[in-house]
Amino acid sequence: FISCKNLSEEGKQTRDLALAEEVYNTLTDEGLNVIFSNISLKKLGTAAYKTAIDEALDSASILVAVATSREVF
């Protein structure tokens, strides 16, 4: 499961998101099963989205948090 801050206070895509996408692409290219909400869960509605994230977190062996600053955490 990959987590990051998606948008800045100005509503722009963060560097964290770009880096998280790179991590996702690298891991999936290696054949790993990776959940990254921006890619994996886009098709779900709001209610299903929260449930899917909860289930993914419960089943994940590893959580990768991508952050380029302390303020994000």
Side-chain angles (χ1 to χ4, degrees):
F1 188 94
I2 300 174
S3 178
C4 70
K5 182 174 181 175
N6 294 326
L7 299 175
S8 69
E9 289 74 23
E10 297 83 27
K12 296 182 180 179
Q13 179 177 318
T14 64
R15 172 122 173 89
D16 299 348
L17 179 57
L19 292 171
E21 288 175 351
E22 288 181 39
V23 171
Y24 173 84
N25 291 331
T26 298
L27 295 175
T28 56
D29 286 350
E30 292 296 320
L32 296 171
N33 182 19
V34 180
I35 300 293
F36 178 42
S37 59
N38 288 51
I39 295 172
S40 307
L41 306 175
K42 278 188 175 182
K43 296 179 182 178
L44 299 175
T46 304
Y49 187 83
K50 180 176 178 355
T51 301
I53 288 177
D54 289 343
E55 289 173 359
L57 285 169
D58 288 342
S59 66
S61 299
I62 298 170
L63 170 66
V64 177
V66 178
T68 55
S69 69
R70 290 183 191 195
E71 291 78 25
V72 174
F73 288 102

